[in-house]
Amino acid sequence: MSLREAAAVLYAHPTHLTGKRIDQARKLLLAGQRPTDVATTVGFHDQAHLNRHFIRHVGTTPARYTRTHPASSHLKAFPRAGRPRRT
């Protein structure tokens, strides 16, 4: 089902439904999931599609949001192996 079809069935605007997907993406990112996995989980075609809408709604990229959000401080204590920690 396309976003427009879902919006018509729910009597909602597609932008509202996209915002709901972004809200879910934010929760998953803060739970430690990778942006690539989050994109497909919440129904975007790929990470680039998620990035475009995430920036429009949140004002930053999913990766930057995860790094700078206070609720993700527990993730900063355990950076992924092989990636330098940014300060």
Coordinates of all heavy atoms in Angstrom, one line a residue:
M1 N 0.9 -1.2 0.0 CA 0.0 0.0 0.0 C 0.9 1.2 0.0 O 1.9 1.3 0.8 CB -0.9 0.0 1.3 CG -1.7 1.2 1.4 SD -2.8 1.2 2.9 CE -4.1 0.2 2.3
S2 N 0.6 2.2 -0.9 CA 1.4 3.4 -0.9 C 1.0 4.3 0.2 O 0.0 4.2 0.8 CB 1.2 4.1 -2.3 OG -0.1 4.7 -2.3
L3 N 1.9 5.3 0.4 CA 1.6 6.3 1.4 C 0.3 7.1 1.1 O -0.5 7.3 2.0 CB 2.8 7.3 1.6 CG 2.7 8.3 2.7 CD1 2.6 7.7 4.0 CD2 3.9 9.2 2.6
R4 N 0.1 7.4 -0.1 CA -1.1 8.1 -0.5 C -2.4 7.3 -0.3 O -3.4 7.8 0.2 CB -1.1 8.6 -2.0 CG -0.1 9.7 -2.2 CD -0.1 10.1 -3.6 NE 1.1 10.9 -4.0 CZ 1.1 12.2 -3.9 NH1 0.1 12.9 -3.4 NH2 2.2 12.9 -4.2
E5 N -2.3 6.0 -0.6 CA -3.4 5.1 -0.4 C -3.7 5.0 1.1 O -4.9 5.0 1.6 CB -3.1 3.7 -0.9 CG -3.1 3.7 -2.5 CD -2.5 2.4 -3.0 OE1 -1.8 1.7 -2.3 OE2 -2.9 2.1 -4.2
A6 N -2.7 4.8 1.9 CA -2.8 4.7 3.4 C -3.5 6.0 3.9 O -4.4 6.0 4.8 CB -1.5 4.4 4.1
A7 N -3.0 7.1 3.4 CA -3.5 8.4 3.9 C -5.0 8.5 3.5 O -5.8 9.0 4.4 CB -2.8 9.6 3.3
A8 N -5.4 8.1 2.4 CA -6.8 8.1 2.0 C -7.7 7.2 2.8 O -8.8 7.6 3.3 CB -7.0 7.7 0.5
V9 N -7.2 6.0 3.1 CA -7.9 5.1 4.0 C -8.1 5.7 5.4 O -9.2 5.5 6.0 CB -7.2 3.7 4.0 CG1 -7.8 2.8 5.1 CG2 -7.3 3.1 2.7
L10 N -7.1 6.3 5.9 CA -7.1 6.8 7.3 C -7.6 8.3 7.4 O -7.6 8.8 8.5 CB -5.6 6.8 7.9 CG -5.1 5.4 8.0 CD1 -3.6 5.4 8.4 CD2 -5.9 4.6 9.0
Y11 N -7.9 8.9 6.3 CA -8.4 10.3 6.2 C -7.3 11.2 6.9 O -7.6 12.0 7.7 CB -9.7 10.4 6.9 CG -10.8 9.6 6.3 CD1 -11.3 8.4 6.9 CD2 -11.4 10.0 5.1 CE1 -12.3 7.7 6.3 CE2 -12.4 9.2 4.5 CZ -12.8 8.1 5.1 OH -13.8 7.3 4.6
A12 N -6.1 11.0 6.5 CA -5.0 11.7 7.0 C -4.2 12.2 5.8 O -4.2 11.7 4.7 CB -4.1 10.9 7.9
H13 N -3.4 13.3 6.1 CA -2.5 13.8 5.1 C -1.2 13.0 5.0 O -0.7 12.5 6.1 CB -2.2 15.3 5.4 CG -1.6 16.0 4.2 ND1 -0.2 15.9 4.0 CD2 -2.1 16.7 3.3 CE1 0.0 16.6 2.9 NE2 -1.1 17.2 2.5
P14 N -0.6 12.7 3.9 CA 0.6 11.9 3.8 C 1.7 12.5 4.7 O 2.5 11.8 5.2 CB 1.0 12.0 2.3 CG -0.3 12.2 1.6 CD -1.1 13.1 2.5
T15 N 1.8 13.8 4.8 CA 2.8 14.4 5.7 C 2.6 14.0 7.1 O 3.6 13.8 7.8 CB 2.8 16.0 5.6 OG1 3.0 16.3 4.2 CG2 3.9 16.6 6.4
H16 N 1.4 13.9 7.6 CA 1.1 13.4 8.9 C 1.7 12.0 9.1 O 2.3 11.7 10.1 CB -0.3 13.5 9.3 CG -0.7 13.0 10.6 ND1 -0.5 13.7 11.8 CD2 -1.3 11.8 10.9 CE1 -0.9 12.9 12.8 NE2 -1.4 11.8 12.3
L17 N 1.4 11.1 8.2 CA 1.8 9.8 8.3 C 3.4 9.7 8.2 O 4.0 8.9 8.9 CB 1.2 8.9 7.2 CG -0.3 8.8 7.3 CD1 -0.8 7.9 6.1 CD2 -0.8 8.3 8.6
T18 N 4.0 10.5 7.4 CA 5.5 10.5 7.3 C 6.0 10.9 8.7 O 7.0 10.4 9.1 CB 5.9 11.5 6.2 OG1 5.4 11.0 5.0 CG2 7.5 11.5 6.1
G19 N 5.4 11.9 9.3 CA 5.8 12.4 10.6 C 5.7 11.2 11.6 O 6.6 11.1 12.5
K20 N 4.7 10.4 11.5 CA 4.6 9.3 12.4 C 5.7 8.3 12.2 O 6.2 7.7 13.1 CB 3.2 8.6 12.2 CG 2.0 9.4 12.7 CD 2.1 9.5 14.2 CE 0.8 10.2 14.7 NZ 0.9 10.4 16.1
R21 N 6.1 8.1 10.9 CA 7.2 7.2 10.6 C 8.5 7.7 11.2 O 9.3 7.0 11.7 CB 7.3 6.9 9.1 CG 6.2 6.1 8.6 CD 6.4 5.6 7.2 NE 6.6 6.7 6.3 CZ 7.0 6.6 5.0 NH1 7.3 5.4 4.5 NH2 7.2 7.6 4.2
I22 N 8.7 9.0 11.1 CA 9.9 9.7 11.6 C 9.9 9.5 13.1 O 11.0 9.3 13.7 CB 9.9 11.2 11.2 CG1 10.1 11.3 9.7 CG2 11.1 11.9 12.0 CD1 11.4 10.7 9.1
D23 N 8.8 9.7 13.8 CA 8.7 9.5 15.3 C 9.2 8.1 15.6 O 9.9 7.9 16.6 CB 7.3 9.7 15.8 CG 6.9 11.2 15.8 OD1 7.8 12.1 15.7 OD2 5.7 11.5 15.9
Q24 N 8.7 7.1 14.9 CA 9.1 5.7 15.1 C 10.6 5.5 14.9 O 11.3 4.8 15.6 CB 8.3 4.7 14.3 CG 8.5 3.3 14.6 CD 8.2 2.9 16.0 OE1 7.3 3.4 16.6 NE2 8.9 2.0 16.5
A25 N 11.1 6.2 13.8 CA 12.5 6.1 13.5 C 13.4 6.6 14.6 O 14.4 6.1 14.9 CB 12.8 6.8 12.1
R26 N 12.9 7.8 15.2 CA 13.7 8.4 16.3 C 13.8 7.4 17.4 O 14.9 7.2 18.0 CB 13.0 9.7 16.7 CG 13.1 10.8 15.7 CD 12.2 11.9 16.0 NE 12.6 12.7 17.1 CZ 12.1 13.8 17.5 NH1 11.0 14.3 16.8 NH2 12.5 14.4 18.5
K27 N 12.7 6.7 17.8 CA 12.7 5.8 18.9 C 13.7 4.6 18.6 O 14.4 4.2 19.5 CB 11.3 5.2 19.1 CG 10.4 6.3 19.7 CD 9.0 5.7 19.8 CE 8.0 6.8 20.2 NZ 6.6 6.4 20.1
L28 N 13.6 4.1 17.4 CA 14.5 3.0 17.0 C 16.0 3.4 17.0 O 16.8 2.6 17.4 CB 14.1 2.4 15.7 CG 12.7 1.8 15.6 CD1 12.3 1.4 14.2 CD2 12.6 0.6 16.5
L29 N 16.2 4.6 16.5 CA 17.6 5.0 16.5 C 18.2 5.2 17.9 O 19.3 4.8 18.2 CB 17.7 6.4 15.8 CG 17.5 6.3 14.3 CD1 17.3 7.7 13.7 CD2 18.7 5.7 13.6
L30 N 17.4 5.7 18.8 CA 17.8 5.9 20.2 C 17.9 4.5 20.9 O 18.6 4.4 21.9 CB 16.8 6.8 21.0 CG 16.9 8.3 20.5 CD1 15.9 9.1 21.3 CD2 18.3 8.9 20.6
A31 N 17.2 3.5 20.4 CA 17.3 2.2 21.0 C 18.6 1.5 20.5 O 18.8 0.4 20.9 CB 16.1 1.4 20.7
G32 N 19.3 2.1 19.6 CA 20.6 1.6 19.1 C 20.5 0.9 17.8 O 21.6 0.3 17.3
Q33 N 19.4 1.0 17.0 CA 19.4 0.4 15.7 C 20.1 1.3 14.7 O 20.2 2.5 14.8 CB 18.0 0.2 15.3 CG 17.3 -0.9 16.0 CD 16.0 -1.3 15.4 OE1 15.8 -1.2 14.2 NE2 15.0 -1.8 16.2
R34 N 20.7 0.6 13.7 CA 21.4 1.3 12.6 C 20.4 2.0 11.7 O 19.3 1.5 11.4 CB 22.2 0.4 11.8 CG 23.3 -0.3 12.7 CD 24.1 -1.4 12.0 NE 24.4 -0.9 10.6 CZ 24.5 -1.8 9.6 NH1 24.4 -3.1 9.8 NH2 24.8 -1.3 8.4
P35 N 20.8 3.2 11.2 CA 19.9 4.0 10.3 C 19.4 3.2 9.1 O 18.3 3.3 8.7 CB 20.8 5.2 9.9 CG 21.7 5.4 11.0 CD 22.0 4.0 11.5
T36 N 20.3 2.3 8.5 CA 19.9 1.5 7.4 C 18.8 0.6 7.8 O 17.8 0.4 7.0 CB 21.1 0.7 6.9 OG1 22.2 1.6 6.6 CG2 20.8 -0.2 5.7
D37 N 18.9 -0.1 8.9 CA 17.8 -1.0 9.4 C 16.6 -0.2 9.7 O 15.5 -0.7 9.4 CB 18.3 -1.8 10.6 CG 19.5 -2.7 10.2 OD1 19.7 -3.1 9.1 OD2 20.3 -2.9 11.2
V38 N 16.7 0.9 10.3 CA 15.6 1.7 10.7 C 14.8 2.1 9.5 O 13.5 2.1 9.5 CB 16.0 3.0 11.5 CG1 14.8 3.9 11.7 CG2 16.5 2.5 12.9
A39 N 15.5 2.5 8.4 CA 14.8 3.0 7.2 C 13.8 2.0 6.7 O 12.7 2.3 6.4 CB 15.9 3.3 6.1
T40 N 14.3 0.7 6.6 CA 13.4 -0.3 6.0 C 12.3 -0.7 7.0 O 11.2 -1.0 6.6 CB 14.2 -1.5 5.6 OG1 15.0 -2.0 6.6 CG2 15.1 -1.2 4.4
T41 N 12.6 -0.7 8.3 CA 11.7 -1.0 9.3 C 10.5 -0.1 9.3 O 9.3 -0.5 9.5 CB 12.3 -1.1 10.7 OG1 13.4 -2.0 10.7 CG2 11.3 -1.4 11.8
V42 N 10.7 1.2 9.2 CA 9.6 2.2 9.2 C 9.0 2.5 7.9 O 8.1 3.3 7.7 CB 10.0 3.5 10.0 CG1 10.4 3.2 11.4 CG2 11.1 4.2 9.2
G43 N 9.5 1.8 6.8 CA 8.8 1.9 5.5 C 9.4 2.8 4.5 O 8.7 3.1 3.5
F44 N 10.7 3.2 4.7 CA 11.3 4.1 3.7 C 12.0 3.1 2.7 O 12.4 2.0 3.1 CB 12.3 5.1 4.3 CG 11.6 6.2 5.0 CD1 11.5 6.1 6.4 CD2 11.0 7.2 4.3 CE1 10.9 7.1 7.1 CE2 10.3 8.2 5.0 CZ 10.3 8.2 6.4
H45 N 12.3 3.6 1.5 CA 12.9 2.7 0.5 C 14.3 2.4 0.8 O 14.8 1.2 0.6 CB 12.9 3.4 -0.9 CG 11.5 3.7 -1.4 ND1 10.7 2.7 -1.9 CD2 10.8 4.8 -1.6 CE1 9.5 3.2 -2.2 NE2 9.6 4.5 -2.1
D46 N 15.1 3.3 1.4 CA 16.4 3.1 1.7 C 16.9 4.2 2.7 O 16.1 5.1 3.1 CB 17.3 3.1 0.5 CG 17.2 4.4 -0.4 OD1 16.8 5.4 0.1 OD2 17.5 4.3 -1.6
Q47 N 18.1 4.2 3.1 CA 18.6 5.1 4.1 C 18.6 6.6 3.5 O 18.3 7.5 4.3 CB 20.0 4.8 4.5 CG 20.5 5.7 5.7 CD 21.9 5.3 6.2 OE1 22.4 4.2 5.8 NE2 22.5 6.1 7.0
A48 N 18.9 6.8 2.3 CA 18.8 8.1 1.7 C 17.4 8.7 1.8 O 17.2 9.9 2.1 CB 19.3 8.1 0.2
H49 N 16.4 7.9 1.5 CA 15.0 8.3 1.6 C 14.7 8.7 3.1 O 14.1 9.7 3.3 CB 14.1 7.1 1.2 CG 12.7 7.5 0.9 ND1 11.7 6.6 1.1 CD2 12.1 8.7 0.5 CE1 10.5 7.2 0.9 NE2 10.8 8.5 0.5
L50 N 15.1 7.9 4.0 CA 15.0 8.2 5.5 C 15.7 9.6 5.8 O 15.1 10.4 6.4 CB 15.5 7.1 6.4 CG 15.6 7.5 7.9 CD1 14.2 7.7 8.5 CD2 16.3 6.4 8.6
N51 N 16.9 9.7 5.3 CA 17.7 10.9 5.6 C 17.0 12.1 5.1 O 16.9 13.1 5.8 CB 19.1 10.8 5.0 CG 20.1 10.0 5.7 OD1 19.7 9.5 6.8 ND2 21.2 9.8 5.2
R52 N 16.5 12.1 3.9 CA 15.8 13.3 3.3 C 14.6 13.7 4.2 O 14.5 14.9 4.5 CB 15.4 12.9 1.9 CG 14.8 14.1 1.2 CD 14.6 13.9 -0.3 NE 13.7 12.8 -0.6 CZ 14.0 11.6 -1.1 NH1 15.3 11.4 -1.4 NH2 13.1 10.7 -1.4
H53 N 13.8 12.8 4.6 CA 12.6 13.1 5.3 C 13.0 13.4 6.8 O 12.3 14.3 7.4 CB 11.6 12.0 5.3 CG 10.9 11.9 3.9 ND1 10.0 12.8 3.5 CD2 11.1 11.1 2.9 CE1 9.6 12.5 2.3 NE2 10.3 11.4 1.9
F54 N 13.9 12.7 7.3 CA 14.4 13.0 8.7 C 14.9 14.4 8.9 O 14.6 15.1 9.8 CB 15.4 12.0 9.1 CG 15.6 11.8 10.6 CD1 14.9 10.8 11.3 CD2 16.5 12.6 11.3 CE1 15.1 10.6 12.6 CE2 16.7 12.4 12.7 CZ 16.0 11.4 13.3
I55 N 15.7 14.8 7.9 CA 16.3 16.2 7.9 C 15.1 17.2 7.8 O 15.1 18.2 8.6 CB 17.3 16.4 6.8 CG1 18.6 15.6 7.1 CG2 17.6 17.9 6.6 CD1 19.5 15.5 5.9
R56 N 14.2 16.9 7.0 CA 13.0 17.9 6.8 C 12.2 18.0 8.1 O 11.8 19.1 8.5 CB 12.1 17.4 5.7 CG 11.0 18.4 5.3 CD 10.2 17.9 4.1 NE 11.1 17.8 3.0 CZ 11.0 16.9 2.0 NH1 10.0 16.0 2.0 NH2 11.8 16.9 1.0
H57 N 12.0 16.9 8.8 CA 11.2 16.9 10.0 C 12.0 17.2 11.3 O 11.4 17.9 12.2 CB 10.5 15.5 10.2 CG 9.4 15.3 9.3 ND1 8.1 15.6 9.7 CD2 9.3 14.9 8.0 CE1 7.3 15.3 8.6 NE2 8.0 14.9 7.6
V58 N 13.2 16.8 11.4 CA 14.0 16.9 12.7 C 15.0 18.0 12.6 O 15.4 18.6 13.6 CB 14.6 15.5 13.1 CG1 15.3 15.6 14.4 CG2 13.5 14.5 13.2
G59 N 15.5 18.2 11.4 CA 16.5 19.3 11.2 C 18.0 18.8 11.2 O 18.9 19.6 11.2
T60 N 18.2 17.5 11.3 CA 19.5 16.9 11.3 C 19.4 15.5 10.7 O 18.3 14.9 10.5 CB 20.1 16.9 12.7 OG1 21.4 16.5 12.6 CG2 19.3 16.0 13.6
T61 N 20.5 14.9 10.5 CA 20.6 13.5 9.9 C 20.3 12.5 11.1 O 20.5 12.8 12.3 CB 21.9 13.2 9.3 OG1 22.9 13.2 10.4 CG2 22.3 14.1 8.2
P62 N 19.8 11.3 10.7 CA 19.6 10.3 11.8 C 20.9 10.0 12.6 O 20.8 9.9 13.8 CB 19.2 9.1 11.0 CG 18.5 9.6 9.8 CD 19.4 10.8 9.4
A63 N 22.0 9.9 11.9 CA 23.3 9.6 12.7 C 23.6 10.7 13.6 O 24.0 10.4 14.8 CB 24.4 9.3 11.7
R64 N 23.5 11.9 13.2 CA 23.9 13.1 14.1 C 22.8 13.1 15.2 O 23.2 13.4 16.4 CB 23.9 14.4 13.3 CG 24.3 15.5 14.2 CD 24.6 16.8 13.4 NE 25.8 16.6 12.6 CZ 26.0 17.1 11.4 NH1 25.0 17.9 10.8 NH2 27.0 16.9 10.7
Y65 N 21.6 12.9 14.9 CA 20.6 12.9 16.0 C 20.9 11.9 17.1 O 20.8 12.2 18.3 CB 19.2 12.6 15.4 CG 18.1 12.4 16.4 CD1 17.4 13.5 16.9 CD2 17.7 11.1 16.8 CE1 16.4 13.4 17.8 CE2 16.6 11.0 17.7 CZ 16.0 12.1 18.2 OH 15.0 11.9 19.1
T66 N 21.3 10.7 16.7 CA 21.7 9.6 17.6 C 22.9 10.0 18.4 O 22.9 9.8 19.7 CB 22.0 8.3 16.9 OG1 20.8 8.0 16.1 CG2 22.3 7.2 17.8
R67 N 23.9 10.6 17.8 CA 25.1 11.0 18.5 C 24.8 12.2 19.5 O 25.5 12.2 20.6 CB 26.2 11.5 17.6 CG 26.9 10.4 16.8 CD 28.1 10.8 16.2 NE 28.0 12.0 15.3 CZ 27.7 12.0 14.0 NH1 27.6 10.8 13.4 NH2 27.6 13.1 13.4
T68 N 23.9 13.1 19.2 CA 23.8 14.3 20.0 C 22.6 14.3 21.0 O 22.5 15.1 21.8 CB 23.7 15.5 19.1 OG1 22.5 15.4 18.3 CG2 24.9 15.7 18.3
H69 N 21.7 13.3 20.9 CA 20.5 13.2 21.7 C 20.9 12.8 23.1 O 21.6 11.8 23.3 CB 19.5 12.3 21.1 CG 18.1 12.6 21.7 ND1 17.7 12.0 22.8 CD2 17.1 13.3 21.2 CE1 16.5 12.4 23.1 NE2 16.1 13.1 22.1
P70 N 20.4 13.5 24.2 CA 20.7 13.1 25.5 C 20.3 11.6 25.9 O 21.0 10.9 26.6 CB 20.0 14.0 26.4 CG 19.7 15.2 25.5 CD 19.6 14.7 24.1
A71 N 19.2 11.2 25.3 CA 18.8 9.8 25.6 C 19.7 8.7 25.1 O 19.6 7.6 25.4 CB 17.4 9.6 25.1
S72 N 20.6 9.1 24.2 CA 21.5 8.1 23.6 C 22.8 8.1 24.3 O 23.8 7.5 23.8 CB 21.7 8.4 22.1 OG 22.4 9.7 21.9
S73 N 23.0 8.8 25.4 CA 24.3 8.8 26.1 C 24.8 7.4 26.5 O 26.0 7.2 26.5 CB 24.2 9.7 27.4 OG 23.2 9.2 28.3
H74 N 23.9 6.5 26.7 CA 24.3 5.1 27.1 C 25.0 4.5 25.9 O 25.8 3.6 26.0 CB 23.1 4.3 27.5 CG 22.1 4.0 26.5 ND1 21.2 4.9 26.0 CD2 21.9 2.9 25.7 CE1 20.5 4.4 25.1 NE2 20.8 3.1 24.9
L75 N 24.6 4.9 24.7 CA 25.3 4.4 23.4 C 26.7 4.9 23.3 O 27.5 4.2 22.7 CB 24.4 4.7 22.2 CG 23.0 4.2 22.2 CD1 22.3 4.7 21.0 CD2 23.0 2.7 22.2
K76 N 26.9 6.1 23.7 CA 28.2 6.7 23.5 C 29.3 6.0 24.4 O 30.5 6.1 24.1 CB 28.2 8.2 23.9 CG 27.3 9.0 22.9 CD 27.2 10.4 23.4 CE 26.1 11.1 22.5 NZ 25.8 12.4 23.0
A77 N 28.9 5.4 25.5 CA 29.8 4.7 26.3 C 30.4 3.4 25.6 O 31.4 2.9 26.0 CB 29.2 4.3 27.6
F78 N 29.7 2.9 24.6 CA 30.1 1.7 23.9 C 30.1 1.9 22.4 O 29.2 1.4 21.7 CB 29.1 0.6 24.3 CG 29.0 0.3 25.8 CD1 28.0 0.7 26.5 CD2 30.1 -0.4 26.4 CE1 27.9 0.5 27.9 CE2 30.0 -0.6 27.8 CZ 28.9 -0.1 28.5
P79 N 31.1 2.7 21.9 CA 31.1 2.9 20.5 C 31.3 1.6 19.7 O 31.9 0.7 20.2 CB 32.2 3.9 20.3 CG 33.1 3.7 21.5 CD 32.2 3.3 22.6
R80 N 30.8 1.6 18.5 CA 31.0 0.4 17.7 C 32.5 0.2 17.4 O 33.3 1.1 17.2 CB 30.3 0.5 16.3 CG 28.8 0.2 16.5 CD 28.2 0.2 15.1 NE 27.3 1.3 15.1 CZ 26.7 1.8 14.0 NH1 27.0 1.2 12.9 NH2 25.9 2.7 14.1
A81 N 32.9 -1.1 17.4 CA 34.3 -1.4 17.1 C 34.7 -1.0 15.7 O 33.9 -1.0 14.8 CB 34.4 -3.0 17.2
G82 N 35.9 -0.5 15.6 CA 36.4 -0.1 14.3 C 36.1 1.4 13.9 O 36.5 1.9 12.9
R83 N 35.2 2.0 14.7 CA 34.9 3.4 14.4 C 35.4 4.3 15.5 O 35.0 4.1 16.7 CB 33.4 3.6 14.2 CG 32.8 2.7 13.1 CD 31.4 3.0 12.9 NE 31.2 4.3 12.3 CZ 30.0 4.8 12.2 NH1 28.9 4.2 12.6 NH2 29.9 6.0 11.6
P84 N 36.1 5.3 15.2 CA 36.6 6.2 16.2 C 35.4 7.0 16.8 O 34.5 7.4 16.1 CB 37.6 7.2 15.5 CG 37.2 7.1 14.1 CD 36.6 5.7 13.9
R85 N 35.5 7.3 18.1 CA 34.5 8.0 18.8 C 34.7 9.5 18.6 O 35.8 10.0 18.7 CB 34.5 7.7 20.3 CG 33.5 8.4 21.1 CD 33.5 8.0 22.5 NE 32.6 8.8 23.3 CZ 32.6 8.9 24.6 NH1 33.5 8.2 25.3 NH2 31.7 9.7 25.2
R86 N 33.6 10.2 18.2 CA 33.7 11.6 18.0 C 33.4 12.4 19.2 O 32.5 12.0 20.0 CB 32.7 12.1 16.9 CG 33.1 11.6 15.5 CD 32.1 12.1 14.5 NE 32.4 11.5 13.2 CZ 31.9 12.0 12.1 NH1 31.0 12.9 12.1 NH2 32.2 11.4 11.0
T87 N 34.1 13.4 19.5 CA 33.9 14.2 20.7 C 33.4 15.6 20.4 O 33.6 16.1 19.3 CB 35.1 14.3 21.6 OG1 36.2 14.8 20.8 CG2 35.4 12.9 22.1

